[in-house]
């Protein structure tokens, strides 16, 4: 039920820019579709991806420094998508923004081109990709302990454990505790290279 | 009527290794010392276990993306020492004979491993650096050691400034040590400096220097908002007889570049010859079955034999087999196990054997699912000092993008074939050790996104004997600008093939008697000879005899 409500909310709120940014985030860290007919998320990988991890929330947060430029980035990537479709002879569904209309493989190819060394807009797309990744690998818009408690898909996929009751991590067992190699013969008594 | 100009004897810019060591000795010797630090001043209780933007994890870092090189540094009282992993090896002997891109010895003739050793001793005593045992090595370090051994290599637990009795192996070391196990400068030099009257002002970002009529310096700063570093809360000036620059190798040359219009021409080497310490990262994704079968390792019933990337404390074990002075330059390096937390570089890890893109997409997501079985290997090679800083940004050392941490700087880095040769050779070595019999799959971090990546910027304002290729003389004084000293990593002439904190600190310790002498010449009543911050005197006994001829005025 909760999932359907969330889906409905997303559909209602999903302006073209948001749909486009979701599709971009899903290209960086792909995930499974949120509902049948989800257009932004291509469904290219099992489990939640960057979108489910909260990429849009992170991108829209002014702390990132890119929130003001997101609509422009969405517009630009759609222009690139249109040009790409023309170049490779694809017909785009006019019901959704051009980047969203691309198949996952074409989205991937376009992002690879935009982030390749030498592309004049590379820095923008790398920055956008960086925050999409951070939404998944560190939930940078959420307190880590809260994100873990709420089942954040990225932190869960990476196997990050829950903290102690006071919100801090401690590992009583941390090493194999035995000699596992010969020391370098030129080691000083204080443990430095000679 | 304008307010009286504020004055101090010694103005220290930055509170990392270079700044804290200078502040302590000069304050202890009787000088009025003021430290301006652009980052916040956090206490142990403020160090959070949290990856959220705005937690200590991002407040105390500065990640500056340049053209071909990105630099990750500290940004807080204590500087790099608060965010570092406390690995404290001395540089190997051959490093001091390096010739690099200038074709002759880069280091001043007066510095060698032998002449630096007494200063290393001082640092070891002050920071309680100790030789670590195998029982101190993390699972990741132990795994690296076992893999090295199986490949016929040696491996060493690293000397470290860690109180193991206090360490809980939380692996949040880079967000500041909550448990006061890491011997950051906030645990020794800085409190000792404050006890002797030094004043530390956080969130004060120095922009440029001008000269006073009396031959001193006026330091112009802005005050940075404590949460959103893109905002400023006013500005001010302070005059000093001596300026110690220790803003870090990513910022010291930028401040000097911006000062050139006021102070006159800077030495050619200011903002040139930057070195990323030859650093390179490889990510190995371990095959857990092979870890058990080939290395005979186990974490106990029900647990994968490794699967412990999240458990530990940064680098604990390194292989020094290639630190062989008889090998040609650019082919010597150390290979160190490292922990790199999420968010600060995961994007740069590449999926081995990917048929599609390597740093994003389907196959990258798949290796993220094995994140617990990652082993990061850090190569510290010999680069060619290729970095050059372009014109300085409007303020600070970078155009700030995010409220904290992320900025765009003017550093350009185009690795030469020499540097690439070292990187390729070390990559191949890591691959040979870790892919043997299918133990792991290994790929280096991609340079395509943010260029090369260093956590140990060096040499952007380096010392040397040749005025054409060094900005500082062998006493760390800026050529042509008497009374300005540079004591941070920018003074270190070249890549060190090991973690540089110990050498930066030793060079700073070595510079202090000269700074004291210079201050005395300018009428500051200051003496040299303070013990270690903890009161120990063994290190002082080792260096005082070296200074007798040079320091006749020493009390």
């Amino acid at each position: 039920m909760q999932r359907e409500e969330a889906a409905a909310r997303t559909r209602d709120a999903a302006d073209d820019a948001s749909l486009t940014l979701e599709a971009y985030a899903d290209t960086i860290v792909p995930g499974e579709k949120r509902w049948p007919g989800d257009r932004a998320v291509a469904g290219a990988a099992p489990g939640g991806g960057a979108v489910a991890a909260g990429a849009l929330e992170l991108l829209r947060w002014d702390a990132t420094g890119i929130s003001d430029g997101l609509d422009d980035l969405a517009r630009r990537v759609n222009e690139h998508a249109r040009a790409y479709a023309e170049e490779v002879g694809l017909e785009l569904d006019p019901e959704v923004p051009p980047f969203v209309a691309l198949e996952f493989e074409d989205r991937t190819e376009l992002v690879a081109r935009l982030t390749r060394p030498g592309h004049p807009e590379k820095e923008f797309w790398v920055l956008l990709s960086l925050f999409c990744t951070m939404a998944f690998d560190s939930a940078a818009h959420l307190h880590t302990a809260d994100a873990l408690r709420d089942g954040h898909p990225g932190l869960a996929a990476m196997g990050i454990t829950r903290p102690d009751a006071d919100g801090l991590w401690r590992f009583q067992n941390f090493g194999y505790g035995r000699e596992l190699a010969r020391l370098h013969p030129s080691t000083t008594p204080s443990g430095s290279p000679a | 009527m304008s307010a009286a100009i504020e004055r101090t004897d010694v103005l220290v810019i930055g509170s990392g290794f270079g700044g804290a060591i200078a502040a302590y000795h000069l304050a202890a010797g009787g000088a009025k010392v003021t430290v301006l630090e652009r980052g916040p001043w956090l206490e142990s209780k403020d160090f959070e276990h949290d990856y959220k933007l705005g937690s200590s994890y991002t407040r105390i870092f500065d990640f500056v993306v340049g053209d071909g090189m990105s630099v990750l540094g500290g940004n807080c009282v204590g500087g790099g020492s608060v965010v570092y992993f406390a690995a404290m090896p001395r540089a190997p002997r051959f490093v001091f004979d390096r010739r690099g891109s200038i074709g002759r010895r880069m280091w001043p003739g007066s510095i060698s491993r032998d002449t630096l050793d007494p200063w290393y001793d001082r640092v070891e005593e002050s920071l309680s650096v100790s030789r670590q045992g195998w029982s101190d090595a993390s699972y990741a370090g132990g795994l690296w050691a076992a893999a090295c051994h199986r490949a016929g290599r040696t491996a060493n637990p690293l000397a470290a400034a860690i109180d193991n009795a206090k360490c809980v192996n939380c692996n949040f070391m880079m967000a500041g040590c909550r448990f006061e196990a890491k011997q950051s400068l906030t645990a020794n030099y800085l409190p000792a400096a404050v006890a002797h009257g030094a004043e530390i002002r956080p969130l004060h970002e120095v922009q440029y220097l001008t000269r006073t009529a009396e031959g001193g310096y006026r330091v112009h700063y802005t005050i940075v908002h404590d949460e959103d570093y893109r905002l400023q809360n006013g500005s001010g000036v302070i005059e000093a007889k001596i300026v110690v620059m220790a803003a870090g190798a990513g910022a010291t040359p930028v401040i000097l570049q911006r000062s050139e219009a006021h102070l006159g021409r800077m030495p050619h080497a200011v903002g040139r010859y930057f070195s990323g310490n030859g650093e390179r990262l490889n990510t190995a994704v371990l095959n857990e079955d092979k870890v058990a079968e080939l290395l005979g390792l186990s974490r106990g019933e029900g647990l994968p034999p490794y699967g412990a990337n999240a458990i530990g404390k940064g680098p604990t074990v390194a292989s020094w087999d290639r630190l062989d002075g008889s090998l040609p330059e650019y082919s010597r390096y150390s290979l160190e196990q490292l922990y790199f937390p999420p968010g600060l570089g995961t994007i740069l890890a590449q999926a081995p054997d990917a048929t599609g893109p390597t740093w994003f997409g389907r196959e990258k997501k798949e290796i993220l699912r094995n994140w617990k079985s990652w082993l990061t290997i850090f190569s510290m090679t010999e680069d060619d000092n290729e970095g050059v800083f372009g014109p300085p940004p409007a303020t600070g050392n970078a155009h700030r993008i995010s409220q904290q941490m992320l900025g765009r700087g003017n550093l350009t880095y185009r690795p030469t074939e020499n540097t690439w040769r070292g990187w390729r050779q070390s990559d191949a070595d890591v691959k040979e050790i870790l892919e043997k019999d299918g133990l792991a799959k290994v790929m280096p971090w991609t340079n395509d996104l943010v260029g090369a990546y260093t956590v140990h910027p060096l040499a952007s304002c380096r010392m040397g004997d040749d005025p054409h290729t060094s900005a500082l003389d062998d006493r760390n004084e800026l050529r042509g600008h008497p009374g300005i000293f540079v004591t941070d990593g920018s003074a270190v002439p070249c890549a060190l093939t090991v973690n540089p904190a110990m050498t930066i600190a030793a060079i700073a310790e070595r510079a202090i008697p000269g700074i004291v002498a210079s201050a005395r010449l300018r009428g500051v009543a200051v003496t040299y000879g303070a013990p270690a911050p903890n009161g120990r005197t063994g290190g002082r006994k080792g260096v005082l005899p070296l200074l007798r001829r040079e320091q006749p005025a020493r009390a």
Side-chain angles (χ1 to χ4, degrees), chain A residues 28 30 44 46 48 62-65 122-123 137 140 142-144 169 171 174 176 182-184 187 190-193, chain B residues 49-51 53 90 113 124 131 139 154-156 168-170 230 305 320 342 346 361-362 365 401-403 408 448:
Chain A
I28 300 301
D62 63 1
T64 60
K122 179 193 145 195
E123 282 192 44
D137 77 5
L142 299 169
H143 288 298
T144 308
W169 275 260
F171 294 98
F174 63 92
Y176 297 105
R182 281 181 304 113
L183 293 188
H184 192 276
T187 302
S190 64
S192 280
Chain B
H49 289 186
D50 201 335
Y51 300 135
L53 291 184
R90 301 180 187 208
R113 173 65 183 264
E124 268 186 13
R131 180 178 184 157
Y139 287 119
T154 68
N156 284 50
V168 302
N169 293 282
C170 66
R230 294 169 297 197
W320 293 336
T346 318
R362 207 182 259 138
K365 186 184 180 189
I401 297 171
S402 300
Q403 70 174 23
R408 177 70 168 84
D448 286 353

Side-chain angles (χ1 to χ4, degrees), chain B residues 5-355:
Chain B
I5 297 262
E6 199 178 358
R7 291 192 170 83
T8 190
D9 290 333
V10 180
L11 192 285
V12 180
I13 304 171
S15 58
F17 284 100
I21 289 172
Y24 165 62
H25 283 292
L26 285 147
K32 177 175 165 56
V33 175
T34 307
V35 181
L36 302 184
E37 163 58 51
R38 71 178 169 169
W41 193 345
L42 302 187
E43 297 175 32
S44 304
K45 65 177 173 48
D46 302 320
F47 296 134
E48 295 154 293
H49 289 186
D50 201 335
Y51 300 135
K52 188 179 182 187
L53 291 184
S55 65
S56 66
Y57 189 62
T58 56
R59 288 178 75 190
I60 61 178
F61 268 112
D62 189 42
F63 180 56
V64 176
V65 179
D67 176 6
M69 172 65 79
S70 294
V71 178
L72 186 63
N75 181 60
C76 55
V77 170
S81 78
V82 178
V83 300
Y84 83 147
F85 282 128
M88 294 292 271
R90 301 180 187 208
R93 181 166 297 271
F94 67 80
V95 160
F96 300 94
D97 294 321
R98 284 202 56 203
R99 298 165 70 87
S101 57
I102 59 173
R104 58 183 175 278
R105 195 176 187 272
M106 278 188 271
W107 286 82
S110 55
I111 301 182
S112 65
R113 173 65 183 264
D114 286 336
T115 61
L116 202 56
D117 266 335
W119 302 102
Y120 277 134
D121 289 343
R122 285 219 74 167
V123 179
E124 268 186 13
E125 183 176 66
S126 300
L127 294 180
S128 304
V129 176
S130 59
R131 180 178 184 157
Q132 304 286 292
W134 288 105
S135 58
D136 306 314
S138 63
Y139 287 119
L143 176 64
W144 175 233
C148 286
H149 183 69
R150 186 167 185 274
R153 315 294 183 94
T154 68
N156 284 50
L158 281 162
I162 297 175
D163 180 347
N164 287 309
K166 292 182 178 174
C167 180
V168 302
N169 293 282
C170 66
N171 232 350
F172 269 90
M173 238 172 145
M174 285 173 80
C177 181
R178 174 92 176 195
F179 304 97
E180 298 180 347
K182 181 165 71 174
Q183 300 302 292
S184 299
L185 299 168
T186 47
N188 36 70
Y189 283 99
L190 287 171
V194 170
H196 284 286
E199 189 192 351
I200 301 174
R201 298 182 191 177
L203 301 166
H204 282 57
E205 183 177 77
V206 171
Q207 305 302 340
Y208 62 97
L209 280 57
T210 55
R211 214 180 296 275
T212 64
E214 298 79 34
Y217 295 93
R218 183 177 286 186
V219 178
H220 301 250
Y221 60 83
T222 51
I223 299 172
V224 178
H225 187 276
D226 64 353
E227 187 182 334
D228 190 339
Y229 301 160
R230 294 169 297 197
L231 307 175
Q232 293 171 3
N233 278 341
S235 60
V237 296
I238 183 166
E239 287 183 0
K241 291 171 180 165
I242 294 285
V243 173
V244 177
M245 301 207 58
T252 286
V254 181
I255 295 168
L256 290 175
Q257 284 177 317
R258 202 181 282 121
S259 305
E260 189 162 33
H262 310 284
L263 297 183
R265 197 180 174 109
M266 285 293 144
H268 177 76
V270 169
R272 291 188 174 82
Y273 305 111
F274 172 94
S275 162
N277 202 31
E279 290 171 2
R280 178 91 163 156
L281 287 139
N282 273 262
T283 300
V285 184
L286 274 297
N287 178 327
E288 292 287 348
D289 292 338
K290 296 282 186 181
V291 170
E293 177 195 332
L294 300 175
L295 304 182
L297 295 178
S298 166
R299 283 209 292 137
E301 193 67 32
L303 293 169
Y306 169 54
N309 191 36
I311 303 170
K313 53 185 163 195
T316 56
V317 172
S319 177
W320 293 336
D321 292 323
R322 295 291 183 263
L323 296 186
D324 177 348
S326 68
L327 292 171
E329 193 168 0
Y330 305 109
S331 67
R332 302 168 294 199
Y333 48 82
S334 61
L335 301 175
E336 190 168 291
Q337 160 267 325
L338 183 65
Y339 172 70
F340 228 90
L344 294 177
T346 318
I347 190 173
L348 304 177
Q350 302 189 80
D353 301 331
T355 54

Side-chain angles (χ1 to χ4, degrees), chain B residues 445-469:
Chain B
W445 280 16
T446 177
N447 281 8
D448 286 353
L449 301 191
V450 292
Y453 196 127
T454 184
V455 295
H456 295 140
L458 298 170
S460 53
C461 198
R462 66 186 185 182
M463 61 197 315
D465 290 331
D466 173 10
H468 299 291
T469 58

